[in-house]
Amino acid sequence: MSSTFVQTTLDYLTAFKRFSGFDVDYVHVTHHASMGVEFDSYDIVFHSYCSRLCFEGYVSESYRERLRNFSGIKVLAVQDEYDHTDILKAAIKDLKFDIVLTCVPQDSLEYVYPRAEFPDVEFITVFTGYVPEDFASALPPAKPLAERPFFIGYRGRDIGGRYGRLGFDKFEIGRRMKELCDARGIETDIAMDEASRIYGTAWFDFVGNCRAMLGSESGSNVFDFDGRIDARFKEMTAANGGVPPSYADFLPIVADRDGEIEMGQISPRVFECAMMRTPMVLFKGRYSDAIVPDEHYITLEKDFSNLDDVLARLRDLPGLEAMTQRAFDHLVGTGRFTYRTFYGGVAAAAERKLAQKSWTRVETALQVPATALGADGRVLEPATSWPMGAEGFRIRQGVEEALIYRREFDRLITEFAHVRSIFEAEMLRLYNRYMKILGLFGEEPKENGTLLTGWGLSDCAFAGLLISYDQEAAAVPLKRHATFVDFGVALASGTEAEGNEALRLTVEVEKDGYFRMIDWIKRLNEAYNAERLQLESAFQARIDELRTTVLPRLPLQRRLGLMYMLARMRVRRLGAATVRGAVRSAFARRLLAAVPSIEPLARRIAIRLKLSGLT
């Protein structure tokens, strides 16, 4: 429900509660939402178009599972159904919707939703939005056309060629009109960039300040059933350095598909203009057969060939006033296009379906989960009496951020433990090996449990680092748990401000822990490498000392054995290519030269070296 800040979306959602005749609750179902509400206490689940099923993973699996198991009436409102249509169709079958509110005209249903595939689904053709009559009645009196500061107003966007001609028209009508009006010195407020978009009630202020509003048909004729068109569009965008292909560049790919169906629809903007008594200048089109050209709006040819006539009509204020009155009477005054009428029809269809099903709902009050957070740390979505707003959605985004850091935090804790076990085992192996070698020299352990001067396994810097880590790690789980508990309490019983503050602390703890673990792993590697080198250095220093003090006093055979072993150790450190020469010169040759009387023994040692591949 992140899109409830768009007025038309909020109107669509809340009008069902006002005009359907049912008791209505709402629940957030996208972005990994975890359901804290049981559907069996309801007769109908109405799935709004803003929770788009055509995008894999967008609607949460928790919700989908609840909906699959629900045996009451399931109603799906769908728009933009030309995106990944096959995924949408699969979802309709998987979730077993009874009624689908579609923008596809009845005479084209077979093209998109073949009856053979959906024998039990009722498809009702609807508009993308209607007149919110309660909102319309609350609007202030329309500003006289002569007092409106902008001659022509418009907001659109450039979506490239992905959606064919209808999508291109939304951009082209604004681009071309601004260009031509600027050349004539006509004041306009036309923009097609994202930063200039207007939301909420400010949109109606904008509409009410324009003498005329541009518009084109909504929708797209290009149905991308299997996603190939979207994939091709993204490929061309990437190949062009991130710039989407223009309508002309992409036209060869969608030209054939663009003529297979006629989806031009009336958009909520037409109703908004009628409510604000703002004249409409629209590209020629069908507009769901709801409005008549030159009676309810001024027709603009798509090649702008009649622009001068259009501009002249916009200067005829009495004619414009009469046209806006006709449009208001037809679209608003008759009540034919209001949410009351629309949802009255939807409710009647749902009642018919209910009568055909043997379904008994469980009588319960408004459902509130026992706890605000589930076992996975996500918010357990309650049934609410009003749609969740942007602030509530931001809290859920913050929860997702906290969970990402939490998962990475836990992964790094596991990684630290794994690397630690390897390093500890390797340090112990090296230590025991060196102690064994020093023991061959007759060395006895000193008071600190080591034979190495200034170094001990239990009191080295590496061991000290691990002690510090263990002390810090012991306190972390309690702190993490406490912040999540506090957040859950604030979310369940506090204000949104309290929930946001508790969430901020939760994210801070998880984020800080994540970066602390990165630092701990870095320090662990650095400490291990430094301590290993220090251990080797201490051992080598002690060996060099023993070579001059102890080795000469040992019996010959033991002396030779130790020399051989030390040479082998040096072999492993220097690498095989260097060692051959080192063994021959530093050990065998020097030994033969220094002690010629033991030539037979030296020869046997040389043979052993050769057999082991060292010479």
Side-chain angles (χ1 to χ4, degrees):
M1 293 186 184
S2 62
S3 56
T4 53
F5 64 90
V6 178
Q7 188 64 43
T8 52
T9 303
L10 186 61
D11 291 340
Y12 197 98
L13 291 169
T14 56
F16 191 76
K17 187 181 186 77
R18 293 190 180 110
F19 305 126
S20 67
F22 297 114
D23 292 327
V24 177
D25 298 326
Y26 299 87
V27 64
H28 169 61
V29 302
T30 64
H31 298 80
H32 309 290
S34 294
M35 294 298 98
V37 55
E38 295 294 339
F39 293 171
D40 287 347
S41 59
Y42 299 92
D43 292 314
I44 301 167
V45 171
F46 183 98
H47 185 107
S48 179
Y49 66 84
C50 55
S51 300
R52 299 188 66 187
L53 291 165
C54 64
F55 297 131
E56 296 284 5
Y58 182 67
V59 176
S60 82
E61 186 54 39
S62 173
Y63 163 75
R64 293 174 75 118
E65 185 61 28
R66 293 283 174 92
L67 190 57
R68 286 189 195 97
N69 296 329
F70 176 63
S71 298
I73 300 302
K74 306 174 190 180
V75 181
L76 169 65
V78 60
Q79 296 181 12
D80 301 336
E81 50 211 297
Y82 34 76
D83 280 326
H84 299 275
T85 312
D86 286 346
I87 296 177
L88 170 64
K89 290 165 65 176
I92 294 173
K93 297 172 186 176
D94 174 48
L95 301 175
K96 296 181 173 59
F97 283 102
D98 301 285
I99 299 172
V100 174
L101 308 180
T102 176
C103 294
V104 178
Q106 288 291 306
D107 57 10
S108 299
L109 282 176
E110 195 65 20
Y111 175 78
V112 184
Y113 306 108
R115 175 53 57 187
E117 290 187 47
F118 303 94
D120 301 320
V121 182
E122 181 178 356
F123 289 90
I124 302 174
T125 301
V126 299
F127 297 164
T128 57
Y130 291 85
V131 176
E133 54 194 295
D134 55 338
F135 184 75
S137 62
L139 289 173
K143 186 181 295 185
L145 295 181
E147 298 177 13
R148 301 190 181 193
F150 303 115
F151 196 71
I152 299 174
Y154 184 67
R155 288 296 183 273
R157 67 177 69 180
D158 184 3
I159 57 177
R162 160 68 183 85
Y163 296 103
R165 180 69 203 210
L166 292 180
F168 172 69
D169 286 346
K170 294 178 183 179
F171 170 73
E172 183 63 9
I173 192 171
R175 184 200 69 80
R176 185 71 174 136
M177 180 63 80
K178 179 172 176 56
E179 178 182 79
L180 294 172
C181 286
D182 286 350
R184 289 168 168 78
I186 297 173
E187 184 73 18
T188 65
D189 190 344
I190 297 173
M192 273 77 67
D193 60 290
E194 198 66 33
S196 298
R197 297 184 72 79
I198 305 170
Y199 297 103
T201 55
W203 169 253
F204 290 92
D205 294 334
F206 171 66
V207 174
N209 279 320
C210 298
R211 182 181 294 193
M213 182 65 61
L214 298 176
S216 62
E217 287 182 299
S218 181
S220 172
N221 296 330
V222 180
F223 274 75
D224 186 9
F225 287 95
D226 56 11
R228 292 183 185 179
I229 294 175
D230 182 52
R232 180 62 179 145
F233 187 80
K234 290 176 179 176
E235 287 174 6
M236 292 177 67
T237 300
N240 196 31
V243 178
S246 67
Y247 172 70
D249 290 337
F250 206 67
L251 184 59
I253 297 169
V254 298
D256 291 341
R257 191 69 60 86
D258 210 351
E260 292 176 348
I261 188 173
E262 189 174 335
M263 283 286 293
Q265 304 153 39
I266 190 171
S267 75
R269 187 171 297 186
V270 173
F271 298 120
E272 293 159 359
C273 287
M275 286 190 292
M276 298 302 298
R277 309 299 181 100
T278 298
M280 296 173 285
V281 177
L282 308 179
F283 271 159
K284 182 181 289 186
R286 183 175 175 178
Y287 296 97
S288 306
D289 299 322
I291 50 179
V292 178
D294 297 320
E295 181 175 346
H296 303 126
Y297 67 94
I298 298 172
T299 304
L300 175 64
E301 297 293 340
K302 292 189 177 183
D303 62 0
F304 287 78
S305 58
N306 68 330
L307 177 62
D308 289 335
D309 178 58
V310 168
L311 295 177
R313 294 185 65 178
L314 290 179
R315 294 185 179 95
D316 177 11
L317 296 185
L320 288 181
E321 297 283 3
M323 176 175 283
T324 59
Q325 187 61 49
R326 289 194 300 270
F328 180 88
D329 291 342
H330 174 64
L331 294 172
V332 182
T334 63
R336 289 174 54 198
F337 304 103
T338 63
Y339 276 112
R340 183 187 302 275
T341 301
F342 165 57
Y343 278 124
V346 173
E351 293 279 12
R352 288 197 306 272
K353 290 288 186 179
L354 269 175
Q356 298 168 9
K357 278 195 175 185
S358 109
W359 164 251
T360 304
R361 64 184 169 90
V362 179
E363 294 288 346
T364 61
L366 184 65
Q367 298 181 49
V368 179
T371 60
L373 298 176
D376 61 356
R378 289 194 173 93
V379 178
L380 285 175
E381 300 297 343
T384 59
S385 59
W386 206 249
M388 184 181 73
E391 188 60 37
F393 182 70
R394 277 193 288 270
I395 288 178
R396 281 147 180 84
Q397 285 182 309
V399 170
E400 283 303 310
E401 181 184 5
L403 290 175
I404 290 171
Y405 280 117
R406 188 179 186 88
R407 286 191 295 270
E408 286 301 300
F409 191 176
D410 290 337
R411 183 185 66 80
L412 290 177
I413 289 174
T414 302
E415 181 67 17
F416 184 94
H418 175 65
V419 174
R420 171 183 182 167
S421 66
I422 293 173
F423 287 173
E424 284 184 311
E426 181 62 12
M427 288 296 294
L428 183 60
R429 186 190 69 80
L430 286 174
Y431 175 80
N432 289 333
R433 182 183 176 206
Y434 293 161
M435 294 307 100
K436 183 178 179 181
I437 293 170
L438 292 175
L440 296 176
F441 283 89
E443 291 282 275
E444 294 294 334
K446 297 185 171 39
E447 291 183 2
N448 64 351
T450 181
L451 297 174
L452 302 178
T453 303
W455 193 95
L457 183 63
S458 60
D459 60 1
C460 64
F462 179 69
L465 176 82
L466 296 179
I467 292 172
S468 298
Y469 172 79
D470 289 338
Q471 291 173 344
E472 180 177 307
V476 167
L478 295 175
K479 185 177 182 181
R480 296 174 74 190
H481 178 71
T483 55
F484 254 99
V485 169
D486 290 345
F487 170 59
V489 171
L491 193 63
S493 58
T495 64
E496 283 187 340
E498 291 172 336
N500 271 321
E501 177 59 19
L503 175 62
R504 184 189 66 77
L505 293 174
T506 299
V507 174
E508 188 177 286
V509 167
E510 298 297 333
K511 189 174 183 179
D512 179 66
Y514 166 74
F515 285 109
R516 285 285 295 165
M517 284 308 306
I518 289 177
D519 184 60
W520 273 116
I521 290 175
K522 178 183 177 183
R523 290 167 62 189
L524 178 68
N525 278 276
E526 291 173 346
Y528 166 72
N529 287 324
E531 209 62 51
R532 179 177 54 81
L533 292 174
Q534 187 173 344
L535 175 58
E536 290 179 355
S537 177
F539 171 74
Q540 192 59 50
R542 185 58 182 155
I543 286 295
D544 291 343
E545 181 183 347
L546 294 174
R547 273 197 176 118
T548 61
T549 59
V550 176
L551 192 61
R553 301 198 302 268
L554 294 177
L556 179 61
Q557 187 147 347
R558 187 177 177 188
R559 191 190 322 161
L560 291 173
L562 286 173
M563 292 174 67
Y564 170 68
M565 181 179 62
L566 294 175
R568 290 292 302 271
M569 290 180 61
R570 187 167 180 80
V571 165
R572 280 190 286 270
R573 285 201 307 271
L574 296 179
T578 317
V579 174
R580 293 188 183 95
V583 169
R584 285 195 297 268
S585 61
F587 180 68
R589 291 181 181 176
R590 189 171 60 197
L591 181 63
L592 288 172
V595 195
S597 60
I598 58 165
E599 184 176 343
L601 178 59
R603 193 178 301 281
R604 287 199 300 271
I605 293 174
I607 291 171
R608 288 177 62 191
L609 290 173
K610 185 173 184 179
L611 290 175
S612 63
L614 293 174
T615 60

